[in-house]
Amino acid sequence: MYRIITALSKNRGIGYRGKLPWNIRKDMNFFKNTTSTVLNKKKLNAVVCGRTTWESIPPKFRPLPNRLNIVLSSSMPEEENVTVCRNLNEVHDYIYQNRKKIESTYVIGGTSVYKQFLDNDLVSDVFFTEIDKDYQCDTFMPELDNDKFKLISSKEDSENDVNMKFNHYEYHNSEEQNYLDLMREIIDNGVPSGDRTGTGTNSLFGRMLKYDIRDGKLPLLTSKRTFIRGIIEEMLFFVSGNTDCTKLQEKGIHIWDGNTTREFLDNRGLNHLPVGDMGAGYGFQWKHFGADYKDCKTDYKDQGFDQIQNVINLIKNNPESRRILISGWNPPDLHKMALPPCHLSYQFYVNVDKKELSCLLYQRSSDYFLAANY
Ligand SMILES: NC(=O)c1ccc[n+]([C@@H]2O[C@H](COP(=O)([O-])OP(=O)(O)OC[C@H]3O[C@@H](n4cnc5c(N)ncnc54)[C@H](OP(=O)(O)O)[C@@H]3O)[C@@H](O)[C@H]2O)c1
């Protein structure tokens, strides 16, 4: 994530005729200190700007010292001591390749560059010097989305009768915050109770979290490490109808190992299943509901009911149906599963007007801190 830093006038102006419209020493110092300061003395910060902003810095002051300078430009020739990137992806690649020596990256303008980073949700912090005066400007700061950015600190100052505030806004991820708040609620109000594993739980019943996955977004948590490769491989494994967890092991994914050992299966009365067999669980119910489960080596082609295909057909051909639903909870089969499903039903809803698809997933039980949201 990137940090934006800018000074703006009362009328949100940031530049005039390729230059700063003001000369405020305290703001220049704030800019220099903020963009140069590092916690880890072995690292440097990087600064990213557009070509026009670069050209607005007097040649004797550039590159900005003690910072890695990056300029976005399609026309500027390569130069010593500055990295010229031809597009945003080149900036990301450069930052990633140099991540061991870069602490933070500051986006320092101008308008077009600020806008691209904001529009692509790439910004974690915004440092605004809000100058309480109108100036003649031809370049303006885009509006910040108040739902996304919250003011976390503000310091007032003045210079030559010009008042200003040094405001720090932080990106606020409300979806992640809801997850964190629910964990807090479990800690504070969870009801102590026993459980199957003998570990004991603090539990709450019937909570809901919502995630907006429009525009190709995947709601991964950032406050804990998520095993993205495992998430994707397990989902593909389920969708294919496979129940042989040794296929996951072969890919270095061991999330099912503990529940498919000889001892675990025997304790569940599944002595006839080979090690690694999860029984008539997720994928089997999704793809072959109603078929007779023997073991994970059996070919169930054309057996049982293919709930996934059914849902796809309904979404395509009868999107207004209120029966677009997959059920993984098959009571007569529960004893044939190493673990009965935790997430067990998925209902789909098509907003025909907006051409949007929603899914409501029901999960009967979840170790919230470890397993929820993976
Ligand atoms: N108040 C402040 O804190 C502050 C901060 C910064 C700047 N400013 C002021 O803002 C003004 C300059 O801002 P500006 O908005 O006019 O220009 P700018 O954003 O600094 O530069 C625009 C140029 O950057 C390059 N560029 C931008 N996005 C690119 C991309 N994705 N790929 C490749 N190149 C890209 C293009 O250069 P090519 O044409 O070479 O392709 C484009 O013409 C100046 O007046 C400056 O003093 C003020």
Side-chain angles (χ1 to χ4, degrees), residues 40-99:
N40 181 345
K41 301 293 174 218
K42 290 184 185 148
K43 291 191 172 190
L44 286 176
N45 290 328
V47 287
V48 186
C49 67
R51 180 191 38 87
T52 318
T53 297
W54 175 256
E55 287 169 357
S56 76
I57 304 169
K60 62 178 177 179
F61 293 129
R62 51 183 215 225
L64 299 177
N66 304 321
R67 285 149 284 184
L68 295 170
N69 287 229
I70 303 166
V71 180
L72 264 166
S73 169
S74 58
S75 62
M76 183 173 140
E78 303 291 334
E79 243 182 61
E80 237 184 292
N81 298 324
V82 51
T83 302
V84 181
C85 291
R86 303 301 176 193
N87 54 53
L88 229 48
N89 281 340
E90 282 191 20
V91 177
H92 304 325
D93 289 347
Y94 176 82
I95 302 293
Y96 183 73
Q97 280 154 17
N98 291 283
R99 63 192 180 282

